[in-house]
Amino acid sequence: MPDADLYELAERYRSEFPIFRSAVYLNSCSLGALSDRARRGLQEYADLWSRWGASAWYDYWLEVADAVRASYARIIGVKRSEAALAPSISGALASVCSAIDFSKRTRVVTTDLDFPTLVYHFLAKRADGVETVVLSSPDGISVPLEAFTEAVDERTAVIATSHVYFTTGAIQDIAALSRLAHENGALLLIDAYQSIGQVPVDARAAGIDILLSGGLKWLLGGTGLAYAYVRGELLERLEPTVVSWFGVEDQFDFDPRRLRLRGDARRFELGTPAVPTLYTARAGLELIEEIGVERIRTRVASLTEDLRDRALAHGLRVRGAGERERRSGIVMVEHRDPAAAVKRLRDAGVIVDHRPGAVRMSPHFYNTTEDSAAAIEAMAV
Ligand SMILES: Cc1ncc(COP(=O)(O)O)c(C=O)c1O
C-alpha cells in the first residue's frame, strides 16, 4: 500500500482516539491510546452489569472472552485452542513455566535487555536448582545470535527472550532462535509484549513454543489482560502446577475431588478475567485486525524512520538497531535527564516516556509526521 494511502488510513482512524484533540501522543509502547470503541465497550459492560448482574456471565461475558481469544489467535497465526487469557505476563509465566520440567535440563538462557519480570521469574527458581544465564548485550541495543549459540546446549531447558526489546526497539530473529532452541532440545519462550500489534508475527511459522504478550500496548486494549500461546503439540505434556478453576474441564461442575485440566491452552488460565478489559481488549483487537498488522508495520516503520531523522537533524542522539529492518516503533532519544525531559514535554502537551538514559517515543498507526515534528521540536529547545 503506498504511503499516501496509509497516511489517509491513519488520519481516518485517528479521529477515533480523543487524546489527539488535546495532546501529541507518542507513547503506545507504554499504553496504547483509548479509542471511542473501547470506551463504548466499557459502557456496554457497565450496562450489562447493571441490567443483568451475574447473569451477564452466561449470556454475554464468557462469549466476549471467547471472541477475544479467537481474535488474538488470528493475529498471531495460531489456532484458537492454542491461545489463553492471563492476568499479566508475570501471571502467564507463573502458570506456563510451572509446567516445565527443570529436573534434567536446569538452565534458562535469557538476556540483560529483556524485561525484568521475565528474568526475575527464572531467578526466583534458583532454590529449585534452575540456573539462569543472563547474556550481556555488547552494545546495549541487541544480543547477537552467536551469543545465544554459545550459551545454549544440552543443559538448556528454555531460551526465554523478547521479540522486540523494550528499551531499544530492536527486533530479534525469532525463527533463528527457534531453530537454535530445537536443535538443542530446548523450548523457545518469547516475550512478545512489544511486538504483537506492531510487527507481524506468525507464531507457528516461526516455530515458537510459548509466546506471551499483553493487551495494553500495541493492541490498544487497556490494562489487566495478557495472552499466552502454547504450541498445540506441547499441550499434553505441559501440565501446570499453578492452576485455576478456569483451566479445568467442566468448570461449572465445581468438583473439588478431581483435577481434570483442559486439553487446550486454557489449562493455563488463572481465575476470573478482568471483564471490563475484555471489552476494551475486544475493541483494540478489532481495530488491529481491521487495519492489519502488515499495514501497521509499514506505517509504523515509516514514522519511526521519520522520527529518527528529525531527531538526528536536531543534533540529538538516537539509540537503536543499525539495520532498518531490525528497528520497530520504539525510538530512544538519548538525554542526560530523561525524566525531567518527559515532564517538560508533557507540560508542552507531548506525551512520551523515559527509560534509563533516554526519552522513549513510540508511534503507532494513528500518529503522523506532525506529531513527530512537535515532539522533536519540543525536545530540542
Ligand atoms: C516486554 C515486556 N514484558 C513484560 C512486561 C510486563 O508485563 P506484566 O506487567 O504484564 O507482567 C512489559 C511491560 O511493560 C514489557 O514491556
Side-chain angles (χ1 to χ4, degrees):
M1 196 178 215
D3 250 22
D5 295 352
L6 283 172
Y7 184 81
E8 261 176 43
L9 185 97
E11 284 290 297
R12 176 147 47 85
Y13 278 100
R14 189 174 164 95
S15 59
E16 281 202 39
F17 295 84
I19 198 166
F20 291 110
R21 287 175 217 143
S22 56
V24 170
Y25 192 69
L26 276 168
N27 199 5
S28 295
C29 79
S30 291
L31 179 65
L34 175 69
S35 63
D36 287 334
R37 54 180 109 173
R39 186 189 286 276
R40 285 197 297 275
L42 278 178
Q43 187 60 52
E44 190 183 336
Y45 158 72
D47 290 345
L48 290 168
W49 181 13
S50 173
R51 171 72 181 84
W52 297 107
S55 287
W57 272 114
Y58 308 110
D59 296 331
Y60 300 97
W61 295 342
L62 291 173
E63 249 174 56
V64 177
D66 258 346
V68 166
R69 288 186 200 96
S71 172
Y72 180 75
R74 283 194 297 273
I75 289 172
I76 64 164
V78 305
K79 293 189 204 137
R80 187 198 288 221
S81 58
E82 295 172 312
L85 305 177
S88 61
I89 294 261
S90 311
L93 278 167
S95 160
V96 176
C97 296
S98 76
I100 299 175
D101 177 8
F102 290 102
S103 64
K104 294 186 194 74
R105 291 169 172 259
T106 55
R107 274 200 181 172
V108 176
V109 175
T110 181
T111 84
D112 63 355
L113 291 179
D114 284 302
F115 196 85
T117 209
L118 178 71
V119 188
Y120 294 160
H121 177 85
F122 296 107
L123 288 176
K125 288 185 173 343
R126 195 173 1 203
D128 300 333
V130 174
E131 186 196 349
T132 306
V133 179
V134 183
L135 303 176
S136 300
S137 164
D139 57 3
I141 293 168
S142 57
V143 176
L145 186 61
E146 299 76 59
F148 283 97
T149 308
E150 260 175 51
V152 174
D153 58 23
E154 72 291 344
R155 292 168 295 180
T156 310
V158 188
I159 300 178
T161 189
S162 306
H163 185 199
V164 167
Y165 289 123
F166 78 109
T167 48
T168 68
I171 303 175
Q172 291 213 79
D173 184 346
I174 44 180
L177 285 171
S178 152
R179 282 191 294 277
L180 176 67
H182 297 150
E183 277 160 20
N184 286 277
L187 294 172
L188 177 64
L189 183 158
I190 292 294
D191 174 353
Y193 212 156
Q194 290 294 358
S195 68
I196 305 298
Q198 68 141 334
V199 178
V201 172
D202 184 331
R204 270 215 151 250
I208 297 165
D209 298 305
I210 298 161
L211 181 132
L212 309 178
S213 184
L216 68 86
K217 302 171 191 293
W218 303 97
L219 292 174
L220 312 172
T223 54
L225 194 64
Y227 305 99
Y229 156 73
V230 178
R231 191 157 59 80
E233 293 80 352
L234 293 173
L235 282 167
E236 212 172 304
R237 77 165 157 103
L238 288 185
E239 283 206 5
T241 56
V242 174
V243 296
S244 88
W245 68 300
F246 270 70
V248 298
E249 297 287 357
D250 306 319
Q251 172 185 12
F252 293 104
D253 284 357
F254 298 101
D255 180 356
R257 290 204 162 69
R258 210 160 50 113
L259 171 64
R260 228 157 43 92
L261 291 171
R262 290 180 62 101
D264 60 15
R266 285 167 61 183
R267 57 175 42 199
F268 301 106
E269 293 200 352
L270 287 180
T272 309
V275 183
T277 312
L278 288 175
Y279 277 83
T280 49
R282 185 178 64 171
L285 293 166
E286 187 185 282
L287 275 158
I288 299 296
E289 284 205 87
E290 218 171 273
I291 301 169
V293 184
E294 294 285 346
R295 290 205 289 179
I296 291 174
R297 169 73 179 144
T298 310
R299 171 86 186 143
V300 170
S302 123
L303 288 167
T304 302
E305 295 310 308
D306 175 73
L307 193 46
R308 286 174 60 92
D309 291 347
R310 283 175 199 273
L312 295 171
H314 277 78
L316 300 166
R317 286 164 60 96
V318 177
R319 191 192 298 164
E323 313 98 307
R324 192 188 154 135
E325 62 281 4
R326 284 293 179 100
R327 294 182 201 136
S328 70
I330 296 178
V331 178
M332 305 300 285
V333 184
E334 293 186 357
H335 198 280
R336 268 180 292 108
D337 187 352
V342 166
K343 197 162 172 305
R344 189 167 54 74
L345 262 74
R346 194 201 56 208
D347 293 343
V350 178
I351 299 173
V352 292
D353 211 340
H354 58 87
R355 288 294 176 270
V359 170
R360 186 173 72 166
M361 302 184 182
S362 46
H364 209 333
F365 64 85
Y366 42 45
N367 285 109
T368 61
T369 52
E370 286 80 12
D371 293 337
S372 309
I376 296 300
E377 272 155 35
M379 193 159 163
V381 289

